[in-house]
């Protein structure tokens, strides 16, 4: 995961990566391909890995569906985020 100061960019309600064979709901991009997003999901939108709080992704920041949904709806574009 990238560390530093970034700005919230675009967002979307769903994505699926054929390369990683995984998707997520309510993603929020903060730098390039790095995002905040829900726990990983299969194409059918069922969670495939419940790991939170430790390194387990390709660099994105995983969050519970409830937490990422809150960020998705209440944190606007251009908000500054600090990742440490």
């Amino acid at each position: 995961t990238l560390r530093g100061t970034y700005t919230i960019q675009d967002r979307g309600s769903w994505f699926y990566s054929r390369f990683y064979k995984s998707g997520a709901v309510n993603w929020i991009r903060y730098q390039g391909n790095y995002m905040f997003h829900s726990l990983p999901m299969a194409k059918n939108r069922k969670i495939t890995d419940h790991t939170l709080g430790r390194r387990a992704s390709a660099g994105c920041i995983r969050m519970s569906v409830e937490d990422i949904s809150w960020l998705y709806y209440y944190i606007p574009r251009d908000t500054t985020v600090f990742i440490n």
Side-chain angles (χ1 to χ4, degrees):
T1 301
L2 298 175
R3 295 172 188 252
T5 304
Y6 302 95
T7 302
I8 297 295
Q9 298 171 8
D10 55 336
R11 66 189 66 221
S13 60
W14 169 253
F15 80 88
Y16 185 82
S17 167
R18 290 182 191 169
F19 180 79
Y20 292 110
K21 297 180 182 160
S22 182
V25 296
N26 295 337
W27 58 269
I28 303 169
R29 185 183 326 273
Y30 63 90
Q31 178 67 31
N33 289 328
Y34 293 94
M35 302 177 275
F36 298 99
H37 61 68
S38 72
L39 289 164
M41 299 181 173
K43 282 185 182 181
N44 64 4
R45 299 187 187 204
K46 301 278 185 183
I47 295 172
T48 57
D49 182 349
H50 288 83
T51 303
L52 287 173
R54 59 188 158 123
R55 293 179 184 179
S57 73
C60 292
I61 298 174
R62 290 180 181 184
M63 302 178 80
S64 69
V65 172
E66 295 80 12
D67 288 344
I68 191 59
S69 294
W70 190 92
L71 281 179
Y72 184 83
Y73 290 107
Y74 293 106
I75 303 301
R77 186 181 185 114
D78 298 325
T79 297
T80 300
V81 294
F82 303 96
I83 300 172
N84 185 11

